[in-house]
């Protein structure tokens, strides 16, 4: 059975801290790893990773995929209160739309 | 450009009732999906479609039906509601073009309670 695991499930930090969120996956015919941010309502897309070892960056956020270890990390540097959210990781198979999501990491950034 | 829209925003049903959750997108996306989100469980895929007339089951399809007669619309039907279907339902769409298919755009969600 395909599955995605995230750790930690919950994290509390102070503004300015750097955090690393972890995602590991077991998906048949793996094709892609996606990260989303979910605040109060719908998830919003952050990154899609398909190649191992290539870092994707967007401002203070960055992510990298390790296909050998079947894992990915999401780094957030100089955290701000606006980074408080649930961060979801999802793994997709070769057929394009069959995504398996992890339970999410709830990040709380305190002022 | 409204993106992905869902109706209703909230719904309360009694056990055994049926209803349809509506989803529409105006981005000409070929891919559309339905997810449910329960506390502590992330998103679970119910059904998805890779184009008009083509649908497939996801992880938790039992108790739900879908159809895709147009590119824009992807309704989700609950056949006979059960309390276990109490959840928040999200519809999502994405473009099938090279490099873009993973970026799903989500609707605002429908909060469903089954009594």
């Amino acid at each position: 059975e395909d599955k995605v695991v995230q750790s930690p499930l919950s994290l509390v930090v102070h503004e300015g801290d750097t955090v690393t969120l972890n995602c590991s996956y077991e998906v048949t015919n793996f094709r892609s790893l996606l990260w989303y941010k979910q605040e109060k309502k719908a998830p919003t897309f952050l990154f899609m990773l398909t190649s191992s070892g290539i870092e994707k960056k967007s401002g203070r956020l960055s992510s990298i995929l390790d296909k050998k270890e079947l894992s990915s990390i999401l780094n957030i540097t100089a955290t701000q209160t606006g980074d408080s959210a649930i961060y979801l990781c999802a793994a997709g198979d070769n057929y394009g739309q069959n995504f398996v999501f992890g339970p999410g990491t709830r990040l709380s950034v305190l002022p | 450009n409204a993106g992905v829209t869902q109706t209703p925003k909230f719904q309360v049903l009694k056990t055994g009732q049926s209803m349809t959750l509506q989803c529409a997108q105006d981005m000409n996306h070929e891919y559309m999906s339905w997810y449910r989100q329960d506390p502590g469980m992330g998103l679970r895929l119910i059904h998805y479609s890779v184009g008009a007339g083509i649908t497939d089951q996801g992880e938790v399809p039992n108790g739900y039906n879908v159809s895709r007669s147009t590119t824009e619309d992807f309704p989700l039907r609950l056949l006979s509601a059960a309390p276990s279907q109490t959840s928040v339902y999200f519809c999502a769409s994405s473009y099938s073009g090279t490099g873009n298919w993973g970026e799903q755009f989500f609707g605002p969600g429908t909060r469903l309670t089954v009594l």
Side-chain angles (χ1 to χ4, degrees), chain A residues 31 34 36 38 42 48 97 101, chain B residues 31 37 43 101-102 104 107:
Chain A
R31 182 181 183 189
L34 296 94
Y36 289 86
Q38 185 175 24
M48 182 175 75
Q97 286 301 292
F101 278 78
Chain B
Y31 293 167
Q37 187 172 34
L43 292 160
W101 45 266
Q104 294 185 94

Side-chain angles (χ1 to χ4, degrees), chain A residues 53-102:
Chain A
I54 297 176
E55 185 181 48
K56 292 215 170 177
K57 295 193 76 169
S58 177
R60 296 176 293 103
L61 277 66
S62 64
S63 183
I64 195 162
L65 175 66
D66 185 339
K67 283 187 174 180
K68 188 175 175 185
E69 297 296 327
L70 306 184
S71 66
S72 174
I73 59 171
L74 175 68
N75 283 320
I76 308 175
T77 59
T79 52
Q80 302 171 355
T81 55
D83 295 326
S84 295
I86 296 173
Y87 290 85
L88 297 166
C89 168
D93 67 11
N94 240 353
Y95 302 101
Q97 286 301 292
N98 195 359
F99 293 108
V100 179
F101 278 78

Side-chain angles (χ1 to χ4, degrees), chain A residues 1-2 9 31-34 36 38 40-45 47-48 50 86 88 90 92-93 95-104, chain B residues 9 31-33 35 37 40-45 48-50 57-59 90 93-95 99-109:
Chain A
E1 182 183 327
D2 294 345
L9 293 181
R31 182 181 183 189
S32 62
L33 193 291
L34 296 94
Y36 289 86
Q38 185 175 24
K40 291 197 188 307
K41 292 189 176 178
T44 54
F45 175 81
F47 298 112
M48 182 175 75
T50 56
I86 296 173
L88 297 166
D93 67 11
Y95 302 101
Q97 286 301 292
N98 195 359
F99 293 108
V100 179
F101 278 78
Chain B
K9 288 188 170 54
Y31 293 167
M32 295 186 76
S33 303
Y35 294 90
Q37 187 172 34
M41 297 191 71
L43 292 160
R44 290 186 291 170
L45 182 64
Y48 64 98
S49 169
V50 298
Q57 296 181 352
E59 181 185 356
F90 289 103
S93 74
S94 63
Y95 177 56
N100 295 331
W101 45 266
E103 183 175 355
Q104 294 185 94
F105 294 82
F106 283 82

